[in-house]
């Protein structure tokens, strides 16, 4: 609100302080006085020619005649200005404010017009008067001589007029009222006969300036009221929602409450609505992450307790048993539990770092075919068992996606190794890549990893992605897998805005002939 009002006050203060309107009025009055003075001076010059005889004899021209005084008074009344006429020597010979017969000055004051302003106008006029009284009268102009001053020394511009120049001076009374004077030479037969000075009271200018500034105050007041209302509106529609969201964010930070609901302004079609939606999604994601961490900690505790309990029982039994064969079996159990603990701790450490690493990693453009061929090439060159073949079937060589190559390669290795572990001897694992476009026009890449094993229970197709869940072949040693591989794979694919699911491969008669893991990732159509 203060910032909004500052601009309004600064603008209004500049208008009242610079006062360009006043300067323009003064310049206009000087031009008008100069024009009127030239007409009066010309008329006086022509009147002086009456002193020339019809025979053509030219006497010494003079302005000190009754006719010229009469012309001066009549013209001064028409132009509504005070006029004074000086002879060549600088002596005052005529004054429009003095009666010819009595020699006394005519003093009059015009009556003010009837006051037709309303209550609002009166209020602002009184306010303007009060503010004007607080500001001392600035003596920017020379002081106007007193009423008794009529000599050329009091009005130096007359001396310039007697020299043939036109001059004007702006003066100021002690009360601060402007007085404008313009002096011009009076000529006859190209001779300077005297000097004419016109004097105008600047009260009309002050009244015009006052009227304009009172209007400015009225407009300024209306603008202030509108600005205040707009500021309050903005405070209610912008500042208040942001304040509510900030309070809710502080509650989330301090952990006040199980789940703090963020204020919902999503129905607003503006930036506040977008911010509210983003805050809401961020808060839900944060709470989901906290729940996942809590659940992960509980699962880790449970999984670590099993081998630790088995290890402790085996050690206690080992101390009491004296039979060498039984001791040998207990040693195998202890060794197996230690290896299982090592695998669990390694996989748990990798899983706990996964979220942080994915959040810091920046995606890059990846050729999916090159990535798949690089991973499959390891298994084709002796990395995997020799009795299970790993093959690739690709629909197109030109498939581009965006992601983290290392993590996507980790997912592919997990799925291939998982397929190999379920595959009988002399079978194959097939990695198939195809392209697809959904109904909304988005291009997708689908990658399937298929084996020829025993498949999976239909009621476990989703559970196998849970942490520490294992569904291993009977011939496999217990504890060889931690049950985190598929869970980590789903986390990685979700971070790439994709999806992963499991299904069984069926023969035409409906029997299970293997398992299939399908990954869908968005295709990158922008190659720049």
């Amino acid at each position: 609100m203060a910032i909004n009002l500052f601009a309004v006050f600064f603008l209004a203060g500049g208008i009242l302080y610079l006062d360009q309107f006043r300067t323009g009025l003064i310049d206009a009055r000087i031009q008008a006085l100069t024009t009127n003075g030239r007409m009066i001076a010309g008329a006086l010059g022509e009147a002086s020619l009456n002193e020339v005889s019809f025979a053509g004899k030219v006497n010494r021209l003079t302005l000190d005649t009754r006719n010229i005084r009469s012309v001066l008074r009549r013209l001064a009344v028409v132009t509504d200005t005070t006029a004074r006429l000086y002879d060549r020597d600088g002596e005052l010979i005529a004054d429009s404010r003095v009666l010819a017969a009595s020699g006394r000055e005519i003093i009059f004051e015009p009556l003010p017009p009837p006051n037709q302003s309303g209550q609002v106008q009166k209020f602002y006029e009184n306010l303007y008067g009060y503010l004007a009284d607080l500001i001392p009268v600035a003596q920017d102009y020379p002081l106007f001589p007193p009423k008794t001053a009529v000599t050329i020394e009091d009005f130096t511009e007359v001396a310039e007029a007697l020299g043939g120049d036109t001059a004007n001076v702006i003066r100021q009374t002690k009360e601060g009222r402007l007085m404008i004077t313009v002096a011009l030479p009076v000529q006859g037969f190209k001779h300077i006969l005297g000097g004419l000075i016109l004097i105008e009271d600047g009260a009309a200018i002050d009244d015009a300036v006052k009227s304009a500034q009172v209007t400015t105050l009225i407009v300024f007041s209306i603008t202030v009221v509108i600005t205040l209302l707009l500021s309050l509106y903005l405070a209610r529609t912008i500042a208040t929602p942001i304040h509510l969201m900030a309070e809710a964010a502080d509650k989330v930070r301090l952990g006040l409450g199980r789940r703090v609901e963020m204020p919902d302004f999503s129905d607003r079609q503006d930036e506040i609505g977008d911010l509210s939606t983003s805050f809401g999604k961020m808060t839900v994601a944060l709470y989901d992450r906290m729940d996942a961490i809590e659940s992960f900690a509980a699962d880790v505790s449970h999984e670590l307790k099993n081998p630790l309990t088995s290890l402790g029982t085996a050690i206690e039994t080992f101390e009491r048993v004296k039979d060498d064969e039984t001791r040998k079996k207990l040693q195998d159990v202890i060794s197996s539990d230690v290896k299982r603990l090592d695998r669990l701790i390694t996989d748990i450490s990798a899983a706990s770092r996964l979220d942080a690493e994915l959040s810091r990693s920046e995606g890059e453009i990846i050729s999916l075919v090159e990535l798949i061929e690089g991973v499959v090439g390891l298994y084709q060159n002796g990395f995997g068992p020799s009795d299970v073949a790993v093959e690739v079937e690709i629909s197109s060589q030109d498939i581009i996606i965006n992601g983290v190559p290392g993590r996507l390669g980790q997912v592919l290795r997990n799925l291939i190794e998982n397929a190999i572990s379920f595959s009988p001897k002399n079978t194959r694992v097939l990695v198939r890549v195809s392209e697809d476009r959904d109904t909304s026009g988005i291009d997708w890449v689908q990658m399937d990893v298929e084996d020829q094993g025993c498949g999976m229970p239909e009621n476990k197709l989703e559970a196998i992605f849970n942490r520490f869940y294992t569904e291993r072949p009977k011939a496999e040693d217990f504890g060889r897998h931690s049950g985190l591989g598929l869970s980590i794979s789903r986390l990685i694919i979700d971070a790439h805005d994709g999806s992963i699911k499991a299904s069984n491969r069926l023969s035409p008669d409906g029997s299970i002939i293997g398992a299939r893991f399908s990954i869908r990732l968005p295709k990158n159509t922008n190659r720049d």
Side-chain angles (χ1 to χ4, degrees):
M1 188 178 296
I3 293 175
N4 291 336
L5 289 177
F6 173 77
V8 177
F9 276 98
F10 185 79
L11 178 61
I15 293 174
L16 296 175
Y17 177 76
L18 295 177
D19 202 5
Q20 297 296 325
F21 180 64
R22 181 190 185 98
T23 303
L25 290 178
I26 292 175
D27 292 340
R29 290 313 304 159
I30 290 176
Q31 292 294 331
L33 282 177
T34 303
T35 302
N36 293 337
R38 286 173 179 167
M39 291 189 298
I40 296 174
L44 295 175
E46 290 295 327
S48 66
L49 296 180
N50 292 329
E51 303 298 324
V52 180
S53 64
F54 290 104
K57 182 180 180 181
V58 179
N59 298 323
R60 186 175 185 273
L61 298 179
T62 179
L63 297 175
D64 191 8
T65 65
R66 180 180 296 272
N67 290 334
I68 289 179
R69 292 190 185 95
S70 178
V71 170
L72 177 64
R73 281 193 298 272
R74 288 181 178 273
L75 292 176
V77 171
V78 173
T79 57
D80 194 21
T81 54
T82 299
R84 291 175 181 171
L85 184 62
Y86 293 82
D87 61 12
R88 297 185 185 92
D89 300 325
E91 296 295 331
L92 181 64
I93 57 177
D95 191 339
S96 64
R97 302 296 297 274
V98 178
L99 290 172
S102 63
R104 291 178 294 179
E105 182 181 1
I106 305 172
I107 299 176
F108 71 95
E109 292 183 4
L111 293 175
N115 193 351
Q116 299 178 351
S117 57
Q119 296 297 327
V120 176
Q121 184 76 15
K122 290 180 181 178
F123 170 78
Y124 281 101
E125 288 177 354
N126 294 332
L127 177 62
Y128 176 81
Y130 172 75
L131 295 176
D133 292 339
L134 295 179
I135 302 175
V137 178
Q139 297 293 334
D140 296 331
Y141 302 107
L143 187 63
F144 189 77
K147 294 182 179 180
T148 57
V150 293
T151 63
I152 193 173
E153 288 78 11
D154 299 317
F155 298 96
T156 55
E157 58 269 36
V158 177
E160 296 184 39
L162 294 176
D165 296 326
T166 300
N168 63 80
V169 178
I170 303 172
R171 294 182 175 86
Q172 195 173 18
T173 64
K174 292 181 178 180
E175 295 78 16
R177 192 172 71 255
L178 290 178
M179 301 296 291
I180 303 173
T181 59
V182 174
L184 306 96
V186 179
Q187 300 179 2
F189 280 126
K190 297 184 180 180
H191 292 282
I192 296 176
L193 306 179
L196 173 68
I197 182 171
L198 300 181
I199 304 173
E200 182 172 295
D201 193 336
I205 295 177
D206 292 335
D207 291 340
V209 171
K210 176 182 177 181
S211 177
Q213 292 185 339
V214 167
T215 304
T216 302
L217 283 176
I218 296 174
V219 175
F220 166 71
S221 301
I222 296 173
T223 305
V224 168
V225 172
I226 294 175
T227 303
L228 288 175
L229 293 177
L230 289 176
S231 298
L232 293 175
Y233 171 76
L234 292 176
R236 187 177 65 85
T237 57
I238 296 179
T240 299
I242 293 177
H243 181 68
L244 293 176
M245 287 189 286
E247 286 183 347
D250 288 338
K251 291 180 181 179
V252 174
R253 176 177 60 85
L254 297 174
L256 302 178
R258 182 64 185 88
R259 275 185 179 264
V260 177
E261 293 292 336
M262 296 296 294
D264 186 12
F265 300 101
S266 57
D267 56 335
R268 294 178 47 158
Q269 303 298 320
D270 57 7
E271 291 79 2
I272 299 296
D274 295 340
L275 181 63
S276 172
T277 302
S278 300
F279 260 63
K281 292 180 179 179
M282 180 189 69
T283 306
V284 171
L286 178 61
Y287 279 123
D288 290 344
R289 185 65 57 84
M290 293 171 63
D291 292 341
I293 293 173
E294 182 179 350
S295 176
F296 182 76
D299 293 342
V300 168
S301 176
H302 175 74
E303 292 296 322
L304 290 178
K305 282 182 179 180
N306 289 336
L308 286 174
T309 301
S310 175
L311 184 62
T313 302
I315 292 174
E316 290 179 1
T317 306
F318 184 82
E319 293 177 352
R320 294 194 301 267
V321 174
K322 304 300 181 182
D323 183 42
D324 291 340
E325 184 178 353
T326 304
R327 280 176 167 262
K328 181 66 173 61
K329 292 181 179 180
L330 291 174
Q331 286 178 344
D332 292 341
V333 171
I334 291 172
S335 177
S336 175
D337 288 338
V338 170
K339 291 179 180 179
R340 184 183 176 192
L341 281 172
D342 180 67
R343 281 192 298 272
L344 279 172
I345 292 173
T346 301
D347 290 345
I348 289 170
S349 176
S352 63
R353 295 196 307 268
L354 180 62
D355 281 346
E357 181 179 338
L358 289 175
S359 64
R360 290 193 298 265
S361 300
E362 295 185 2
E364 59 183 84
I365 296 177
I366 305 171
S367 173
L368 185 60
V369 175
E370 293 181 2
L371 177 66
I372 293 174
E373 290 178 346
V375 174
V376 172
L378 297 175
Y379 297 94
Q380 293 175 342
N381 295 322
F383 182 78
S386 58
D387 53 359
V388 178
V390 180
E391 301 177 1
V392 179
E393 183 180 302
I394 298 173
S395 63
S396 173
Q397 293 289 330
D398 189 20
I399 301 177
I400 303 298
I401 63 173
N402 189 53
V404 182
R407 288 304 180 180
L408 291 176
Q410 178 185 353
V411 172
L412 186 58
R413 289 194 301 271
N414 285 343
L415 297 181
I416 292 176
E417 291 178 3
N418 186 71
I420 290 175
S421 67
F422 281 92
S423 297
K425 293 182 179 180
N426 300 321
T427 59
R428 70 169 185 170
V429 172
L430 177 64
V431 180
R432 180 185 293 111
V433 180
S434 60
E435 299 174 82
D436 185 22
R437 173 174 293 182
D438 60 18
T439 56
S440 59
I442 300 177
D443 293 322
W444 294 87
V445 177
Q446 179 160 328
M447 181 170 55
D448 298 322
V449 179
E450 302 176 350
D451 61 44
Q452 297 176 337
C454 60
M456 297 168 286
E458 289 292 336
N459 60 343
K460 301 294 183 181
L461 294 179
E462 185 63 28
I464 60 176
F465 291 101
N466 295 337
R467 286 188 299 266
F468 304 112
Y469 179 88
T470 56
E471 188 76 31
R472 310 306 305 171
K474 294 181 180 180
E476 185 178 291
D477 295 337
F478 175 76
R480 285 185 56 187
H481 292 82
S482 62
L484 288 173
L486 292 178
S487 175
I488 291 175
S489 297
R490 170 163 280 185
L491 288 175
I492 294 174
I493 296 301
D494 288 344
H496 286 77
D497 297 327
S499 63
I500 181 172
K501 66 178 183 178
S503 61
N504 286 317
R505 298 173 57 236
L506 303 177
S507 64
D509 60 0
S511 60
I512 297 177
I513 59 174
R516 178 188 295 113
F517 286 87
S518 301
I519 298 174
R520 282 175 65 86
L521 294 170
K523 184 180 179 181
N524 188 350
T525 57
N526 184 10
R527 299 176 178 273
D528 293 335

